[in-house]
Amino acid sequence: MRRPAAAAVVVAGALALASCGGSDSGPAELSVGSAYMPQPVSDMAAGFLTITNDGGSADRLTSVSSDVAGQVTVHETVDGAMQEVEALDIPAHGSLVLESGGNHLMFEQLKRKPKQGQKVSVELRFAESDPVTVEIPVKPATYTPKTGH
Ligand SMILES: [Cu+2]
């Protein structure tokens, strides 16, 4: 008696998914939060932020630029030593975290020294999604517990 009803529900569910394009496999939907730059103490600066992906497809952070730096690179930290990487993955329904002691942005060839209270404009570019521009607030140099660079 119950089996036909259950089968009908499953079919209806499948149709609903198909008609809305499959909500679980849509494009990456990126948003940026928790961004900050510790006020630089040398001619380089670090930047931290979290990229959240609410979409059903993974993406990659591929390059970064800023009006205050001649070059911005993406670094990861392995065994306490940082190294440049080509790109960082942003998983579907997940996030990419850049935080002190881990992944971070590296601002080199600074054109001016950002001061606490100012904001730095940064453009993030991705493998799939459109570029995102964020205004990163500059925090005290001691804001991050680890200032290796
Ligand atoms: Cu670095």
Side-chain angles (χ1 to χ4, degrees):
M1 287 283 282
R2 288 184 183 176
R3 273 190 185 176
V9 168
V10 169
V11 170
L15 285 174
L17 272 179
S19 64
C20 73
S23 60
D24 223 43
S25 60
E29 295 174 28
L30 306 180
S31 58
V32 179
S34 306
Y36 73 94
M37 169 188 283
Q39 181 175 305
V41 295
S42 69
D43 59 352
M44 290 198 289
F48 306 101
L49 48 82
T50 297
I51 302 171
T52 301
N53 183 1
D54 290 323
S57 300
D59 207 341
R60 290 163 74 78
L61 174 65
T62 53
S63 68
V64 183
S65 60
S66 171
D67 59 345
V68 299
Q71 185 181 20
V72 184
T73 52
V74 181
H75 285 188
E76 65 178 2
T77 304
V78 178
D79 294 334
M82 64 173 191
Q83 59 189 42
E84 186 175 344
V85 291
E86 292 270 311
L88 289 173
D89 290 328
I90 311 164
H93 302 295
S95 60
L96 168 63
V97 178
L98 282 70
E99 60 186 351
S100 181
N103 301 324
H104 56 276
L105 305 179
M106 203 81 208
F107 298 75
E108 296 166 51
Q109 302 157 23
L110 286 180
K111 297 168 185 171
R112 62 178 174 86
K113 272 196 180 176
K115 296 274 193 295
Q116 179 182 342
Q118 294 179 337
K119 288 192 172 178
V120 171
S121 182
V122 174
E123 185 179 87
L124 308 171
R125 286 183 293 276
F126 306 96
E128 304 294 338
S129 301
D130 291 334
V132 173
T133 300
V134 286
E135 300 290 322
I136 296 184
V138 181
K139 300 288 191 179
T142 53
Y143 187 79
T144 167
K146 196 170 183 180
T147 54
H149 46 273

